[in-house]
Amino acid sequence: MKHLVPILLSALVLVSSQAEAAQENVARRHIQRSLTLASAGDTLQAFAELEAAIKAAPKLADTHYYLGRLYTDRASSVETDFKDRLKAEESLLEALRLSPSDPRYLLELARLRLKQHMKVDAGRLFGRALSEAEKRGDPNVLADIHFNLGYLKELEFQSVRHRRLPPIMRGPPRAEITAPVDPRIARYGNEYIGESATVSDAGQMPKEEMFEHYRAALRYNPTHIGASVRLMGQLLDEYRLGEYLSLARQLRLANPERPEPHLYYGLGMHYAGREDEAAEAFGDGLARLPDESRTGIESVAEVMRRRDAQEYLAMDAEERDEFNDRYWLFSDPLYLTEANERRLEHVARAAYADLRFAAPESGLRGWQTDQGVIFMRYGPPLSIASFAAATTDYGNPYAVGRRSIIWSYGTSGPVFIFRQMPGYLGAQFAGDYKFIANEYRYHQPAKYDNIPSIPEMLELPVQIARFRGATEDEIAVEVHAALPLSDLAENLDMAKGDFETGLFILNSAGDKIVSQVESQVLTYAESEETNEYRSWRLVLPSSGMLIAAVEARDQVTWRAAASRETFTPSRYPADSLALSDILVADAIWPRIEEPASRADYEIMPNAALEFRSGEPIHIYYEVYGLNEDAEDFASYDVSIQVRVKSLEHGGGIGALIGAIADSWGFTILGDDRIELRFSREVKMEGRDRVTEYLSLDPQDVPAGEYEIRLRVWDRLGEQMARQLRVFEVSGKE
């Protein structure tokens, strides 16, 4: 009998152990189902499965751990939203009571402490978790711990980044306005930055520790998404493109079906100026985004004036898609390249905003946050300054306890102020700056002057002149351009470069009805001696408004110049008096004794419509539809008025009118204009037009803007036709 007792006890222990193991197996099945449900977004059922797991095996630490982790994930960082955080804390502490040294439990409790804004406690727990994880050697747990330590250091770094000391005896920047958009707001912000003192080496130590922890996380787990994304954001801000692109490629290969890795890779390619590869990656990313997120990126509402945006948002989906296509086509800065650089910059800004400003705890993608909206409209600010949290309200209680961040877009651009709570990476508009941002859209809805593949976009002056073609339904359009060759070649060490010029004509639907591209090798040393003028003559049918795009681009330096001009090739009916455009030129002379058409003249157009004081000014025009008498003669009167629109150095215009009239042989009409009148009788002999040219004497003329007003009166048909052209006179060299 004595021998039976130990045997019975052993049997009871075995049965108990088997029962406990069976209960744990049941609990782990519930845990696995919970994880599956949570990843699918069914949080309520996930909680139910975990509660069932705890009921099955209340002493299994993992059941309490996973329940605490689920509560932690659902809990927000809002101070008043504490119920989920309390439940998470209760579950995690129970897990640690059952297994005090498990690094996963310590890590999760540390994450919870971060959400409770207990950074010191979180740091200690992360340290304990790291020590225990190093003993066990689990690379995934070590990666998670280093990632969270990196995030903790990033919070510390961001709190002192761009740190400045406020001007003496002045409070933090405030957000007060008295008008819809008060330019003094921008001036005040820039002055505040200018008067503040920079804190040298602010955040250098936490920044280095942040980098080391993120890199350590990736050494343990090269595909760790959180560490990759946080590190990539910091690398991009410091323009470390090599390491950034290496991480982006790795993330993309490891997660081919996720949209973000493709967008972030495209962002790196865009920063490197490799637009074709950026376009491909962006396309892959956009195709994988949910419809709502893709619409958020592709929508142009946030980069339009507010009223235009309201009309745009009132369109149905198909209308918006068509509008988007036309919007980006017409705003493409260079048709010479395959990529649409402006659209790529727009998508790149969305990708950057999501990389740097996303607020998952609020359910906001980066482009939906206050900072993201401003970044989408205006790109990176020219300067950033941050100021420590205020302890006194200075009349603005919203500023107390919040760090101030100023984004300045220069003296001619907007300035925005954000407030940031301690322990947060995101920031919100300060005070009335949301209102200021909305009002500023009327002045400048968006700005795109930071495209990496176009380091410098120069002006390209263009003059367009329309004439009747061979028939009244054909319009001969001349496009004359002055290429800024010297500026394109400035400060280059290369002897030669591949140079492209192009003319593109687009209709209102965005179709390119003309595309003429030429390439040449340009010798930079001789650029000042190279003919900088390009001219095209096209014969087009009459139509509605068209857009002429003239472009020049160096394929090595990426410097470019472009111009967009609108014109309408309207008919010149045979039975109605009409004038061609006024063609303004540096020189005009007839090739034959009695010229009858444009081909009978040698003309050197002035594409820039700009003359030096003292240089001759020539004009050419054609008259159509003149009536003829019985002897085949047309009779008409011509009035050429020159009006001084403005003078370069201001002052009274009236005192100069007499001198200009004497120089050019004109009659004074008033304080700001002079006129030349003459009458003509021309034997038509079957011609459908009369050609005219005029040279103004090369006398000194004050620098300013002038307007030529041409009027022709057909004496026989009793009809009037008018044309107008503006030109400028600059001072002598």
Side-chain angles (χ1 to χ4, degrees):
M1 187 69 180
K2 291 181 180 180
H3 296 290
L4 289 174
V5 173
I7 294 172
L8 290 172
L9 289 174
S10 297
L12 287 172
V13 170
L14 179 61
V15 170
S16 176
S17 177
Q18 289 175 339
E20 187 174 338
Q23 289 173 330
E24 285 190 8
N25 288 335
V26 171
R28 291 195 182 280
R29 286 196 293 271
H30 283 297
I31 290 172
Q32 189 56 51
R33 284 196 290 269
S34 172
L35 295 175
T36 302
L37 289 165
S39 65
D42 192 347
T43 307
L44 290 178
Q45 285 301 314
F47 275 119
E49 290 291 339
L50 287 174
E51 294 292 350
I54 291 175
K55 186 175 181 180
K59 293 183 180 180
L60 180 61
D62 268 3
T63 58
H64 300 280
Y65 160 67
Y66 283 110
L67 182 61
R69 195 173 80 171
L70 192 58
Y71 274 121
T72 299
D73 289 339
R74 194 174 74 168
S76 73
S77 299
V78 178
E79 294 176 1
T80 56
D81 185 11
F82 55 84
K83 290 184 179 180
D84 284 339
R85 295 201 300 270
L86 288 177
K87 292 178 180 179
E89 181 177 30
E90 180 182 344
S91 297
L92 292 173
L93 288 174
E94 178 63 16
L96 281 167
R97 187 186 68 79
L98 295 168
S99 181
S101 60
D102 193 309
R104 296 175 302 153
Y105 306 167
L106 292 166
L107 168 61
E108 201 60 37
L109 185 58
R111 286 184 60 233
L112 178 63
R113 292 291 184 248
L114 267 183
K115 286 198 172 184
Q116 293 170 321
H117 308 287
M118 301 166 66
K119 288 192 288 184
V120 174
D121 286 351
R124 291 171 181 163
L125 285 166
F126 281 134
R128 283 180 57 195
L130 180 60
S131 177
E132 293 297 333
E134 286 173 341
K135 294 176 185 177
R136 302 190 184 197
D138 186 332
N140 289 325
V141 175
L142 284 165
D144 282 342
I145 294 171
H146 277 291
F147 162 67
N148 282 279
L149 283 168
Y151 183 78
L152 188 62
K153 289 299 177 182
E154 185 174 356
L155 288 174
E156 185 179 344
F157 170 54
Q158 288 297 111
S159 69
V160 293
R161 194 180 187 194
H162 308 297
R163 175 63 63 84
R164 287 174 178 260
L165 298 176
I168 298 174
M169 300 302 293
R170 183 184 289 185
R174 295 160 66 180
E176 298 175 352
I177 58 174
T178 56
V181 174
D182 189 341
R184 291 175 296 176
I185 295 295
R187 187 170 66 248
Y188 174 79
N190 283 310
E191 287 177 357
Y192 195 90
I193 293 175
E195 295 173 10
S196 61
T198 303
V199 179
S200 59
D201 299 326
Q204 188 62 31
M205 184 175 293
K207 181 176 78 170
E208 292 174 357
E209 292 176 327
M210 170 192 68
F211 275 117
E212 179 51 40
H213 282 301
Y214 284 149
R215 288 173 178 141
L218 291 169
R219 285 195 296 271
Y220 285 113
N221 179 3
T223 61
H224 195 288
I225 294 176
S228 298
V229 170
R230 299 312 310 173
L231 180 55
M232 285 164 57
Q234 296 295 333
L235 290 170
L236 200 60
D237 281 354
E238 299 205 352
Y239 212 75
R240 300 186 192 179
L241 283 183
E243 187 177 357
Y244 175 93
L245 287 171
S246 177
L247 284 174
R249 289 189 191 96
Q250 189 168 278
L251 192 65
R252 192 184 188 198
L253 288 172
N255 303 274
E257 295 308 313
R258 294 189 61 161
E260 291 84 3
H262 297 281
L263 293 173
Y264 298 157
Y265 181 73
L267 176 62
M269 289 290 102
H270 177 70
Y271 267 58
R274 294 159 62 175
E275 302 292 28
D276 292 341
E277 293 165 275
E280 181 181 357
F282 284 149
D284 291 340
L286 290 171
R288 288 166 171 78
L289 277 172
D291 290 344
E292 184 179 354
S293 295
R294 183 171 60 254
T295 300
I297 289 181
E298 293 180 337
S299 170
V300 296
E302 285 296 341
V303 295
M304 302 171 71
R305 288 180 171 84
R306 191 169 60 181
R307 189 171 300 163
D308 295 338
Q310 291 171 349
E311 294 177 4
Y312 169 82
L313 293 172
M315 300 176 184
D316 60 36
E318 184 177 349
E319 290 173 328
R320 281 200 298 270
D321 287 343
E322 292 178 359
F323 183 92
N324 287 346
D325 290 341
R326 290 197 304 273
Y327 180 92
W328 293 119
L329 182 63
F330 288 131
S331 62
D332 187 355
L334 280 178
Y335 297 125
L336 281 172
T337 59
E338 290 292 329
N340 186 325
E341 291 85 0
R342 184 167 289 186
R343 182 179 182 276
L344 291 180
E345 170 64 17
H346 177 82
V347 179
R349 290 181 182 181
Y352 179 89
D354 206 42
L355 184 68
R356 299 298 285 123
F357 308 128
E361 69 278 1
S362 304
L364 295 177
R365 301 301 297 250
W367 58 83
Q368 297 172 318
T369 64
D370 291 347
Q371 288 176 298
V373 165
I374 295 303
F375 194 90
M376 288 285 287
R377 290 179 193 162
Y378 307 113
L382 294 179
S383 60
I384 302 175
S386 72
F387 301 89
T391 56
T392 306
D393 63 15
Y394 296 95
N396 184 1
Y398 185 75
V400 177
R402 291 170 171 84
R403 176 170 165 253
S404 299
I405 304 172
I406 300 179
W407 282 13
S408 170
Y409 288 87
T411 55
S412 60
V415 170
F416 302 102
I417 300 179
F418 304 92
R419 304 286 191 214
Q420 186 181 60
M421 285 290 294
Y424 290 82
L425 290 179
Q428 293 77 43
F429 282 121
D432 292 310
Y433 272 88
K434 187 177 186 67
F435 177 75
I436 292 174
N438 284 330
E439 291 300 311
Y440 194 81
R441 291 170 71 181
Y442 286 114
H443 299 269
Q444 189 171 19
K447 184 179 180 183
Y448 293 94
D449 58 355
N450 65 317
I451 298 174
S453 60
I454 308 177
E456 189 171 11
M457 180 67 83
L458 303 170
E459 292 185 4
L460 198 158
V462 168
Q463 180 181 182
I464 297 177
R466 297 160 297 177
F467 304 94
R468 178 186 282 177
T471 70
E472 62 182 84
D473 292 320
E474 291 182 344
I475 296 87
V477 179
E478 294 185 10
V479 181
H480 304 286
L483 309 181
L485 298 183
S486 297
D487 292 335
L488 288 168
E490 187 177 6
N491 298 325
L492 293 182
D493 296 330
M494 299 178 298
K496 295 183 178 181
D498 294 326
F499 192 75
E500 281 185 315
T501 56
L503 170 68
F504 307 90
I505 306 294
L506 289 77
N507 60 21
S508 58
D511 302 319
K512 293 179 183 175
I513 61 176
V514 174
S515 179
Q516 297 183 12
V517 178
E518 297 179 0
S519 298
Q520 69 179 101
V521 176
L522 179 67
T523 302
Y524 290 113
E526 301 172 359
S527 61
E528 292 186 0
E529 302 171 7
T530 305
N531 179 15
E532 64 179 14
Y533 293 100
R534 295 289 188 278
S535 294
W536 296 265
R537 185 178 174 89
L538 311 168
V539 177
L540 302 173
S542 61
S543 69
M545 187 186 73
L546 301 177
I547 298 173
V550 182
E551 299 175 357
R553 176 176 180 261
D554 180 272
Q555 298 183 63
V556 177
T557 65
W558 298 348
R559 286 178 178 168
S563 176
R564 301 286 189 272
E565 298 287 341
T566 59
F567 69 98
T568 303
S570 303
R571 292 177 69 248
Y572 291 103
D575 59 352
S576 178
L577 183 68
L579 289 171
S580 72
D581 285 326
I582 302 170
L583 179 60
V584 180
D586 292 322
I588 302 176
W589 62 91
R591 292 173 172 170
I592 61 177
E593 186 173 346
E594 295 185 5
S597 69
R598 170 70 174 82
D600 296 332
Y601 291 86
E602 191 71 42
I603 299 178
M604 296 176 60
N606 185 308
L609 295 167
E610 184 175 345
F611 298 85
R612 291 283 181 185
S613 182
E615 291 179 344
I617 301 169
H618 302 267
I619 63 172
Y620 171 86
Y621 59 93
E622 296 179 355
V623 187
Y624 313 113
L626 287 164
N627 283 270
E628 305 168 22
D629 62 17
E631 297 179 357
D632 203 23
F633 277 90
S635 301
Y636 58 94
D637 299 325
V638 178
S639 164
I640 299 176
Q641 289 186 12
V642 177
R643 184 174 77 90
V644 183
K645 293 189 69 177
S646 64
L647 294 180
E648 189 174 295
H649 299 294
I653 293 175
L656 300 168
I657 288 295
I660 298 173
D662 290 341
S663 297
W664 289 348
F666 280 46
T667 301
I668 300 174
L669 283 187
D671 290 339
D672 66 345
R673 70 194 66 199
I674 55 179
E675 182 183 42
L676 176 66
R677 287 177 174 268
F678 58 88
S679 299
R680 293 286 305 273
E681 288 192 356
V682 179
K683 191 170 182 63
M684 298 301 292
E685 297 177 331
R687 290 183 295 174
D688 65 348
R689 72 196 68 194
V690 172
T691 63
E692 296 272 14
Y693 74 101
L694 177 72
S695 175
L696 304 179
D697 291 338
Q699 301 295 322
D700 287 347
V701 174
E705 188 176 31
Y706 294 77
E707 183 180 79
I708 296 176
R709 294 183 175 183
L710 172 65
R711 292 186 299 175
V712 171
W713 170 255
D714 181 1
R715 292 198 295 269
L716 296 175
E718 295 187 339
Q719 296 182 72
M720 177 75 77
R722 296 176 173 83
Q723 270 298 356
L724 182 146
R725 179 73 84 178
V726 175
F727 67 94
E728 292 185 7
V729 174
S730 58
K732 292 183 177 180
E733 293 183 342

